[in-house]
DNA sequence: CCGGAGAATGTACGCACGTACACATCCCCG
DNA sequence: CGGGGATGTGTACGTGCGTACATTCTCCGG
């Protein structure tokens, strides 16, 4: 039962922390919730992470990396002659639906980054990747506009009850892209 | 010294709570911080508010009302033939500069609203007022696009160090509005 | 003018938290 | 193969929190 030797203990704790903040939010992460989730004793989390902030940083960094990776994959999977408005509207629907939990956490991080510099890298890397992706298709100013608009639309989709309508989103995006 | 009778005690506590969350964030609001800020004993906050959530709700409601009022005032002060891109860029600079504290709180509320339904009304009312203002100038879909973009741009301005450049913002906004 | 209802106060309780630390265990290398 | 450093564990301490509540005070209506 007791896993006395566990070479991946540290990584497992980070993974547990990611699960906790994904499901229950940043405020829910404590040494105890992470330890319970990872099925390790309390002392283990304080041994591997000198402070709770250090654990939070590791978890947030992991989440940010995965978000950016997902975005990159999506961009690479786009058809060559794709209509950006259609594709982006579909991506928003996907992120607000199937990947809702991750997206909610992303915008919770957004809000938190305004007061906690440690979280800033996560939101910045997301914005930079968005702009980078868009700049391969449109000019720099439009890419910046699109990044801002994408974030605004995705947030609205997340905060509103019910599924967003892809057709509506597409129409709105066309105001900028057509 | 002891103010045994105070007809506006409840309102003063709400005001203190607004100050606390404006300066130090949502997480900083406790019965004790609010009481200290209002210069009343701890028992006073628990007497006037059955729970901390009730106090938080009152404070958030107050903040949301003021934000919406400021937005309405700004809209009414616009010159008749104003260029919307220029004016909006200036408004973003103003909100990210002089009114930074309030704006930071607004987007902290945005993030929090995703997990705490009690905060949702605050972010929703802001979005609705924005869209309402824009619809007096542009069509509905553009207004929605502009609301999303405005929020995205203002957030970026808040999270980035240094003052945003009004000319840059204006150029980005023109991608949608021209 | 006085009594009671509402307002105000101070204290206390129980809980969850971050962190520290003494002790147990394990692996690896000399 | 044995010892030492890294790893793992359980417990305890101090703090700040939300909340409850008995007590004191203040005002005002009859």
């Amino acid at each position: 039962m007791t896993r006395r030797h566990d070479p991946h203990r540290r990584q497992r704790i980070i993974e547990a922390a990611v699960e906790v903040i994904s499901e229950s939010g940043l405020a829910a992460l404590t040494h105890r919730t992470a330890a319970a989730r990872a099925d390790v004793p309390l002392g283990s989390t304080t041994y591997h992470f000198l402070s709770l902030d250090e654990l939070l940083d590791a978890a947030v960094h992991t989440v940010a990396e995965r978000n950016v990776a997902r975005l990159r994959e999506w961009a690479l999977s786009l058809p060559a002659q794709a209509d950006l408005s259609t594709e982006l509207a579909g991506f928003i629907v996907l992120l607000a639906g199937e990947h809702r939990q991750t997206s909610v956490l992303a915008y919770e991080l957004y809000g938190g980054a305004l007061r906690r510099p440690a979280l800033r890298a996560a939101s910045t890397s997301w914005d930079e990747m968005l702009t980078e992706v868009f700049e391969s298709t449109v000019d720099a100013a439009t890419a910046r506009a699109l990044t801002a608009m994408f974030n605004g639309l995705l947030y609205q989709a997340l905060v509103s009850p019910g599924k967003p309508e892809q057709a509506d989103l597409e129409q709105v995006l066309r105001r900028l892209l057509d």
Side-chain angles (χ1 to χ4, degrees), chain A:
Chain A
M1 182 56 55
T2 53
R3 195 189 315 244
R4 298 297 309 209
H5 179 56
D6 183 353
H8 305 79
R9 173 67 62 92
R10 186 185 158 93
Q11 193 54 43
R12 284 179 53 236
I13 293 172
I14 294 177
E15 217 58 53
V18 169
E19 291 171 18
V20 168
I21 62 179
S22 294
E23 290 173 11
S24 311
L26 289 177
L29 181 66
T30 68
H31 277 133
R32 287 168 175 84
T33 55
R37 186 72 189 220
D39 193 29
V40 300
L42 169 61
S44 192
T45 67
T46 70
Y47 172 74
H48 285 282
F49 300 91
L50 280 82
S51 76
L52 185 62
D53 273 333
E54 200 175 298
L55 173 55
L56 179 62
D57 285 353
V60 165
H61 185 259
T62 299
V63 167
E65 259 186 351
R66 287 176 189 170
N67 282 347
V68 169
R70 188 189 343 271
L71 176 56
R72 188 183 290 114
E73 278 173 30
W74 172 83
L76 291 177
S77 76
L78 280 181
Q81 302 294 345
D83 179 279
L84 192 54
S85 298
T86 306
E87 298 296 336
L88 270 179
F91 194 38
I92 290 175
V93 170
L94 180 74
L95 289 178
E98 196 179 336
H99 297 115
R100 179 169 218 284
Q101 196 168 268
T102 302
S103 304
V104 165
L105 178 57
Y107 287 100
E108 197 183 356
L109 288 173
Y110 253 63
L114 291 169
R115 302 230 190 238
R116 310 177 67 172
L119 304 182
R120 210 156 291 180
S123 59
T124 300
S125 66
W126 171 254
D127 272 10
E128 283 173 356
M129 190 63 201
L130 269 181
T131 304
E132 186 185 321
V133 166
F134 295 152
E135 278 180 346
S136 69
T137 308
V138 298
D139 68 277
T142 305
R144 245 194 102 191
L146 193 49
T147 297
M149 201 162 132
F150 180 86
N151 280 327
L153 288 175
L154 178 51
Y155 174 83
Q156 276 175 21
L158 290 172
V159 85
S160 304
K163 282 188 182 175
E165 282 295 330
Q166 177 163 355
D168 290 350
L169 291 168
E170 188 176 327
Q171 186 200 8
V172 172
L173 286 161
R174 287 200 189 285
R175 280 293 185 279
L176 173 63
L177 294 174
D178 280 357

